[in-house]
Amino acid sequence: MRTELLEQIYTIVAQIPPGRVTTYGRVAKMTEGATARMVGSAMRHLPDGHGLPWHRVIAADRKVADHGGAARQRDKLRAEGVLFDANGRVDATRLWP
């Protein structure tokens, strides 16, 4: 992936406020050519100690994607006041921007 795209993705993710979420696709649309899968890949490959709020990026169906860090991601979101419905979806009012 091009360095410029990674920088754009990281810049966008850094702006997501606590208690809010966005989707991989929404992040991609704010870049100059990234896809939702590229955004997911960028989140998966963040180096340790990066400080980006990766946990605020969720799937288009407003669920936490199924991955090894899913439980940790849900815990981090709950700690910020994000609630999940019975189907595991985040309320649409929490979507950013």
Side-chain angles (χ1 to χ4, degrees):
M1 187 179 325
R2 295 188 338 249
T3 304
E4 311 87 61
L5 277 181
L6 276 176
E7 289 175 6
Q8 289 175 22
I9 291 167
Y10 296 156
T11 298
I12 293 162
V13 171
Q15 296 175 41
I16 307 168
R20 303 292 297 276
V21 297
T22 196
T23 67
Y24 299 104
R26 282 178 180 230
V27 173
K29 286 179 184 173
M30 291 185 248
T31 68
E32 296 173 2
T35 65
R37 286 184 188 267
M38 289 174 160
V39 174
S41 178
M43 295 299 96
R44 273 193 309 279
H45 294 99
L46 285 168
D48 289 338
H50 55 76
L52 279 177
W54 61 271
H55 60 284
R56 297 180 189 145
V57 185
I58 61 174
D61 62 1
R62 299 191 330 264
K63 292 182 177 183
V64 169
D66 188 24
H67 56 81
R72 187 167 149 235
Q73 183 174 9
R74 277 190 284 280
D75 289 345
K76 288 173 89 56
L77 288 170
R78 283 188 190 105
E80 293 182 350
V82 175
L83 302 176
F84 297 87
D85 69 15
N87 295 316
R89 286 189 177 86
V90 173
D91 188 279
T93 61
R94 292 290 185 156
L95 286 172
W96 175 92

